[in-house]
Amino acid sequence: MALPPNVSEEEFASALSEFAQAVGDEWVFSSDEDVALYRDSYSIYWGEPEERVASAAVAPANVEEVQQIVRVANRYNIPIYPISTGRNLTYGGAAPTLSGSVVVDLKRMNRVLEVDEDRHFALVEPGVSYYDLYNYIQERGLQVMLDVPDPGWGSPIGNSLDHGAGYTMAPFRDHFGSRCGIEFVTAEGEIVRTGTGAMPGTDTWQDYRYGVGPMIDGLLAQSNFGIVTKMGFWLAPMPETFLTGTVTVPRYRDFDALVKEVSYLEDSFLTGMPSFGSPAAGGGFGQASPQMAELMQDGWPSVERLEEFVSAQGRPAWSVELRFYGPEEVVRASWDAAKRRFRDRVAGAAFEDGDFWRLPLSAEELATNPRKPLLGVPALEIFATMARNPRTNDAPLEGHADLFAILPRKAEAVHEAARAMSDAYGELGVPPAHHPFSTPLNFYSRAFIVPAIVPTWRDPARNAQSRALYSRLVDRCAEHDWIVYRTNPAFQDQVVSKLSYNDNALLRFEEKLKDGIDPNGIISPGRYGIWPASMRSGRA
Amino acid sequence: MKVTIVVAGLAILTTAALGQNAPSADTGKVVFDKWCTPCHGAVAPAGGLGDGALPGTSALRVKYNGELPAVLEERTDLAPEFIETVVRGGLFGMPITRKTEVSDSELEDIIAYLTRSNN
Ligand SMILES: Cc1cc2nc3c(=O)[nH]c(=O)nc-3n(C[C@H](O)[C@H](O)[C@H](O)COP(=O)(O)OP(=O)(O)OC[C@H]3O[C@@H](n4cnc5c(N)ncnc54)[C@H](O)[C@@H]3O)c2cc1C
């Protein structure tokens, strides 16, 4: 059995019995078999000494029990690690950042406290999954639309606290950005509410998020300053219709104009999440095709060579799908306006109408609809991209660790990132995934993401290669002044070390807060590089 | 401690005797629909990801190449221990399921459901 650092077996046993008094025997998990369920299924250290593993797990049913857990942990100096739905796959799963922590599994706190159909918000507990919230809304026929990440079994709270993102309109797909009002339990066991929630009896907790004075909400995400027990989220009113249209531009050089115009449309709230692609290259994202590999075999091709390649393909160099939400008159007018603007700005721009649906779709229509996340409908279909297929039948993927680099919305930055990542793969002898026609993702409306999906295995040798690649990508991105939006605990210290402005002043500030707020350093030690004073000496 | 164990033991005996805790294939179907069908269902989105089937179904179609049904609910060969090992340990892209998600008794129900037509 793993033990928390510097805690004896006797102390741990008596802490566990105090946890059991708080939550009931049934909800303290301490057998090896039960604790193993908190392993990260996609761990990049699976089965190695460095794999992050829990010592036990405890599952409270309400906020009072969370308070009691925190007090016990403080008395015994036991690190605890809160999870909401614990489905943080590729970013650590349900496993703690520090081995030996006790996972506080909030899955049982699963009440939807409120969904307001007129003011368009929800207030939920941590264990409420996107499926749960969606079903609650469906059962009551409420006319609001969620914004969901690809896997629907995660939670608004867990996902947003790791800065997760979805697929609809700009203000909603940044999940932490769409929050309004947080309740959390401090390391000392006190309940705090942010925003106007600090006023007893307020009726604006989910309407106005600043309250008065500093807004401390940000301290609770990607960090370790408290255990969130309630959180409000702004929702979209159910749009009347959904319409898509695709724009193509002919030349390699046209990407610059395409990007600028798409930014104009997004920042004017005229389109939902745009989706870029490259018809000439047969796609924009994922494993480079043999054709792309051939194009890159003598090094990164010149612009002239790329233009020749595009002409030879006889297909447009780039595409973008725009997605419009709203009344039919409005979405059709927005698409018309977008076409006019592209026509005026890019010679040879062409257009194709896509889907047009009246919302909400019925359950029957949704069952066979492949675009659920675009409509705020939870699903798990994304796992098909990694599931065993004819190509991988001999060695199906066991997991992945995602690296999503944040870039400015500039064509040249996208090309530079594709090249830098492609070089990093090449240096380690890994077949390239990026190429001159790699396209960005637009989860965050104001930034681009160029992703790298690094495979993980239950085999130490292959994981060692994956770690080398991931780590090299982090370094290479930092050389270009790009940071990732989120990362696995295995790389959090490395990533945070890149935030080196003024001698890592940001991290030093966070450490001071940590020392003041959580003096014993019990909550999620090491999360995103924030270690308590007693463990700080060893950090990078 | 001893007292608790005896009482818990009695509780199990009593409810088992009353038939309340016997695994139920009907309950199993409800739990399966919630936790498994999004990946193992038969109805897939048209033109969707993967091979045009849900993740579990498409993986099992490739894995058994027609020798066994791709849809888990149509199988008649699944051993209870195998189902338990896969659900609690994960298998390739399918991750671990915790007891706060699917409890031990709900897993028994799923097993009763998936093995209902076993030979
Ligand atoms: C194939 C695939 C596709 C994916 N697609 C997306 C996507 O489209 N968008 C996206 O955002 N992610 C995506 N992910 C990543 C991840 O699976 C989701 O973000 C998922 O929602 C996170 O898990 P969760 O919601 O259960 O959060 P949890 O695991 O519950 O929480 C995540 C972390 O937040 C902290 N935390 C959670 N709850 C609390 C609390 N109450 N108090 C304090 N701290 C807390 C903890 O550190 C915890 O480890 C994808 C993963 C895979 C494998």
Side-chain angles (χ1 to χ4, degrees):
Chain A
M1 187 210 264
L3 282 175
N6 309 317
V7 174
S8 72
E9 234 168 272
E10 297 72 49
E11 285 168 331
F12 193 48
S14 77
L16 287 180
S17 77
E18 290 199 36
F19 285 141
Q21 278 164 29
V23 302
D25 282 333
E26 197 191 343
W27 302 110
V28 175
F29 300 103
S30 57
S31 71
D32 287 349
E33 190 194 343
D34 284 355
V35 175
L37 301 176
Y38 291 85
R39 290 178 78 174
D40 172 10
S41 306
Y42 293 2
S43 175
I44 202 162
Y45 278 112
W46 184 271
E48 297 182 66
E50 295 88 345
E51 185 188 341
R52 323 278 162 139
V53 290
S55 55
V58 33
N62 54 50
V63 66
E64 292 76 24
E65 292 183 7
V66 174
Q67 289 177 285
Q68 292 180 53
I69 290 167
V70 166
R71 292 192 183 118
V72 173
N74 246 319
R75 262 203 307 285
Y76 289 89
N77 253 310
I78 291 178
I80 51 178
Y81 188 82
I83 58 169
S84 289
T85 34
R87 289 282 172 178
N88 206 9
L89 298 161
T90 97
Y91 299 111
T97 304
L98 175 72
S99 273
S101 303
V102 172
V103 172
V104 180
D105 181 345
L106 302 171
K107 181 67 197 166
R108 294 174 66 221
M109 294 177 61
N110 59 2
R111 289 179 305 160
V112 175
L113 299 167
E114 194 176 355
V115 174
D116 192 303
E117 184 180 33
D118 304 317
R119 280 140 71 206
H120 312 124
F121 66 74
L123 179 66
V124 295
E125 291 188 333
V128 172
S129 70
Y130 287 101
Y131 276 112
D132 296 335
L133 183 54
Y134 180 78
N135 291 338
Y136 178 100
I137 289 167
Q138 290 315 105
E139 282 157 17
R140 289 160 185 77
L142 303 175
Q143 294 303 305
V144 288
M145 181 173 75
L146 295 181
D147 186 286
V148 301
D150 262 314
W153 53 17
S155 47
I157 293 187
N159 180 281
S160 63
L161 290 182
D162 211 8
H163 293 170
Y167 285 91
T168 69
M169 293 169 277
F172 305 103
R173 58 182 203 259
D174 167 3
H175 294 158
F176 191 73
S178 71
R179 95 214 162 270
C180 190
I182 298 180
E183 177 189 276
F184 68 99
V185 172
T186 67
E188 280 152 352
E190 199 162 40
I191 303 175
V192 177
R193 288 184 176 182
T194 71
T196 58
M199 183 178 228
T202 179
D203 191 27
T204 57
W205 195 22
Q206 275 61 61
D207 303 296
Y208 182 67
R209 57 188 180 187
Y210 292 120
V212 177
M215 183 165 63
I216 63 165
D217 296 26
L219 288 179
L220 294 153
Q222 293 197 347
S223 65
N224 46 23
F225 294 111
I227 301 184
V228 173
T229 46
K230 289 188 183 72
M231 208 160 151
F233 293 93
W234 287 336
L235 306 176
M238 180 57 72
E240 289 180 18
T241 71
F242 172 77
L243 176 136
T244 67
T246 298
V247 183
T248 58
V249 293
R251 288 166 302 267
Y252 175 80
R253 283 183 187 82
D254 294 333
F255 193 51
D256 181 50
L258 185 72
V259 163
K260 287 178 178 151
E261 185 51 28
V262 169
S263 297
Y264 176 93
L265 294 171
E266 259 251 282
D267 297 352
S268 308
F269 305 107
L270 288 171
T271 176
M273 184 175 182
S275 173
F276 292 94
S278 172
F285 174 58
Q287 192 83 25
S289 64
Q291 203 185 17
M292 283 299 112
E294 197 187 308
L295 185 65
M296 293 189 291
Q297 71 189 6
D298 305 319
W300 202 256
S302 65
V303 173
E304 291 67 36
R305 175 81 193 84
L306 292 169
E307 296 293 9
E308 276 166 30
F309 172 83
V310 172
S311 327
Q313 298 307 306
R315 288 193 299 270
W318 307 100
S319 64
V320 69
E321 185 187 72
L322 303 174
R323 288 104 179 228
F324 305 93
Y325 299 82
E328 180 173 0
E329 309 88 300
V330 176
V331 296
R332 293 206 186 280
S334 297
W335 177 218
D336 284 343
K339 286 191 274 198
R340 174 180 55 72
R341 288 185 54 94
F342 278 108
R343 221 177 268 123
D344 289 350
R345 282 168 181 77
V346 194
F351 310 96
E352 199 181 321
D353 292 341
D355 299 316
F356 175 74
W357 298 323
R358 284 180 206 289
L359 303 185
L361 295 180
S362 68
E364 294 68 42
E365 288 167 320
L366 281 168
T368 53
N369 187 303
R371 317 196 81 185
K372 295 180 186 69
L374 292 183
L375 306 172
V377 178
L380 293 173
E381 287 157 23
I382 189 69
F383 285 87
T385 55
M386 66 171 295
R388 182 192 296 264
N389 61 49
R391 257 188 313 109
T392 63
N393 197 12
D394 293 336
L397 198 60
E398 293 182 284
H400 48 105
D402 295 1
L403 180 145
F404 281 20
I406 294 284
L407 307 179
R409 284 179 297 173
K410 296 200 282 201
E412 64 191 85
V414 173
H415 301 326
E416 194 185 330
R419 185 171 183 173
M421 290 197 187
S422 180
D423 287 350
Y425 276 64
E427 288 155 17
L428 295 172
V430 183
H434 303 83
H435 51 81
F437 296 93
S438 287
T439 49
L441 302 173
N442 226 165
F443 284 115
Y444 287 90
S445 65
R446 292 290 177 138
F448 275 164
I449 284 170
V450 170
I453 310 288
V454 177
T456 62
W457 310 96
R458 294 191 175 184
D459 165 26
R462 279 189 293 177
N463 268 346
Q465 289 175 346
S466 290
R467 291 195 298 268
L469 176 60
Y470 198 107
S471 182
R472 165 116 16 161
L473 287 166
V474 171
D475 284 343
R476 203 41 63 82
C477 285
E479 286 161 22
H480 290 263
D481 305 310
W482 306 317
I483 198 78
V484 299
Y485 93 107
R486 176 180 184 183
T487 195
N488 188 288
F491 304 99
Q492 286 173 359
D493 285 321
Q494 186 192 358
V495 166
V496 168
S497 75
K498 308 295 183 190
L499 304 175
S500 58
Y501 174 76
N502 192 16
D503 191 20
N504 301 79
L506 179 61
L507 181 59
R508 288 187 287 112
F509 182 79
E510 290 160 356
E511 288 171 345
K512 280 184 203 147
L513 289 175
K514 183 71 180 167
D515 295 344
I517 295 171
D518 179 8
N520 294 328
I522 56 161
I523 299 183
S524 308
R527 185 114 189 110
Y528 284 92
I530 308 169
W531 291 97
S534 62
M535 301 179 190
R536 213 167 278 157
S537 55
R539 76 161 152 73
Chain B
M1 213 50 168
K2 218 175 220 159
V3 177
T4 339
I5 293 168
V6 173
V7 173
L10 272 180
I12 290 168
L13 279 180
T14 334
T15 43
L18 294 173
Q20 281 172 3
N21 260 6
S24 146
D26 290 342
T27 312
K29 166 141 179 60
V30 176
V31 184
F32 187 91
D33 279 348
K34 176 169 179 196
W35 283 99
C36 320
T37 300
C39 288
H40 285 290
V43 181
L49 301 165
D51 292 343
L54 294 173
T57 307
S58 96
L60 295 177
R61 186 190 284 164
V62 175
K63 188 171 189 173
Y64 296 114
N65 196 19
E67 283 161 27
L68 290 171
V71 175
L72 219 44
E73 289 161 276
E74 292 169 13
R75 297 269 291 267
T76 54
D77 66 309
L78 288 167
E81 310 74 53
F82 177 61
I83 300 172
E84 186 181 333
T85 310
V86 174
V87 171
R88 295 299 187 212
L91 184 66
F92 298 107
M94 176 179 156
I96 294 166
T97 305
R98 308 191 308 278
K99 294 188 179 179
T100 50
E101 300 175 318
V102 172
S103 69
D104 279 337
S105 87
E106 287 172 328
L107 182 52
E108 291 303 319
D109 295 333
I110 291 180
I111 290 171
Y113 174 59
L114 289 179
T115 57
R116 70 199 178 287
S117 320
N118 274 15
N119 307 318

